[in-house]
Amino acid sequence: MKKIVRITTVPISLKILLKGQHRFMSQHGFDVVGVSSSGPELDEVAKEEGIREREDEG
């Protein structure tokens, strides 16, 4: 399985700017991981989009 890692500085970018893209990529055979700084949106994106998440404190 191919992997895509989406990296943003703040989790709101994963939630708003990339909304729907994570799920689309997962449905088309990609293992998607969202990486961002901490914040409640990071968990929300993982649940809503069905992807794995990684928190990076830098």
Side-chain angles (χ1 to χ4, degrees):
M1 178 178 282
K2 295 178 184 178
K3 183 179 288 190
I4 293 179
V5 179
R6 300 301 301 255
I7 302 171
T8 62
T9 55
V10 292
I12 194 77
S13 295
L14 288 173
K15 182 173 175 133
I16 303 297
L17 296 176
L18 301 172
K19 186 175 183 172
Q21 292 184 27
H22 306 104
R23 175 168 282 127
F24 177 84
M25 291 181 284
S26 292
Q27 292 173 341
H28 287 84
F30 291 91
D31 176 21
V32 182
V33 180
V35 179
S36 185
S37 61
S38 63
E41 297 89 357
L42 189 57
D43 289 332
E44 293 170 10
V45 168
K47 290 175 187 169
E48 292 171 6
E49 299 278 345
I51 65 169
R52 293 185 297 135
E53 66 190 68
R54 293 285 188 263
E55 185 177 308
D56 182 27
E57 291 299 324

